[in-house]
Amino acid sequence: AGFFFILENQVRVGDVAVVNGTGGLVEAEDEDGLARGVAIHRALELLTGPNPPDADTLAARIAAELALAARREELEAWIGEALAARDHPAFADVFQPAPGIEARNELPILYARDGRRVYGLIDRLLIGDERVVVVDYKTHRVEAGQCDALATHYAPQLKLYADGLRRLWPQKAIDARLLFTHAGRQVRVDLEGA
């Protein structure tokens, strides 16, 4: 599960919460959002890594790792959502990148900015010769029509990721996207306006 939390000397960024203007933590609103989000993120990590497991093996592994055996029916639905995202034609460049594009999952990033440490965990990073694409998964139960407003809401998080990535690859263009698993939609984030 991710978070976006500002402490006195550090900024942490993640995927199921946002700063509420006072530095406090605001959790996802749906009742099972945290467990669902963690399970879908883990499923996408395993499904897009080396030697991806079949759905049954994946369910058993995530149930054991996250102590979700009692929620097997829900877990199977969440894994179905992850599989649908991985196989969605609109997400092919994210989950089946072109030859020469390096893909990494759950990549930690830590850097200093304005006297603070910024820490985050990037869900998916695609590294090409001229461009780096940061992808953040959003597992909220939202409809496709809500994604643009949420993209504006999460733009500061992606800007923090991009600022850190520019330090690693100053010669490359940085693109940022939010991938909404439930809505089956991907939204590019304007990093200049964030």
Side-chain angles (χ1 to χ4, degrees), residues 4-39:
F4 186 112
F5 197 57
I6 295 182
L7 300 173
E8 185 174 332
N9 291 318
Q10 68 184 12
V11 178
R12 302 173 86 167
V13 294
D15 60 356
V16 294
V18 296
V19 165
N20 67 5
T22 63
L25 185 63
V26 179
E27 302 234 344
E29 293 178 11
D30 52 319
E31 188 175 305
D32 67 349
L34 184 59
R36 199 169 123 264
V38 171

Side-chain angles (χ1 to χ4, degrees), residues 2 16 21 36 45 53 70 77 81 88 98-100 116 118 153 155 165 184 194:
V16 294
R36 199 169 123 264
E45 178 184 10
E81 186 171 316
H88 197 296
R116 293 181 169 173
V118 179
H153 186 73
L165 294 171

Side-chain angles (χ1 to χ4, degrees), residues 94-134:
V94 173
F95 295 122
Q96 292 96 35
I101 304 292
E102 180 183 352
R104 296 187 184 176
N105 292 320
E106 301 300 324
L107 185 72
I109 187 168
L110 174 66
Y111 67 97
R113 179 177 182 229
D114 300 328
R116 293 181 169 173
R117 289 181 307 244
V118 179
Y119 171 77
L121 194 61
I122 296 172
D123 295 332
R124 184 114 169 127
L125 191 67
L126 305 166
I127 307 161
D129 290 336
E130 298 178 9
R131 181 171 66 129
V132 175
V133 179
V134 59

Side-chain angles (χ1 to χ4, degrees), residues 39-80:
I40 292 171
H41 275 76
R42 183 65 173 138
L44 286 169
E45 178 184 10
L46 293 170
L47 287 167
T48 59
N51 306 311
D54 62 59
D56 290 335
T57 303
L58 181 63
R61 181 169 177 181
I62 292 175
E65 287 179 2
L66 303 179
L68 293 172
R71 298 175 75 174
R72 185 65 180 225
E73 192 171 307
E74 286 175 291
L75 179 58
E76 288 175 3
W78 301 337
I79 288 171

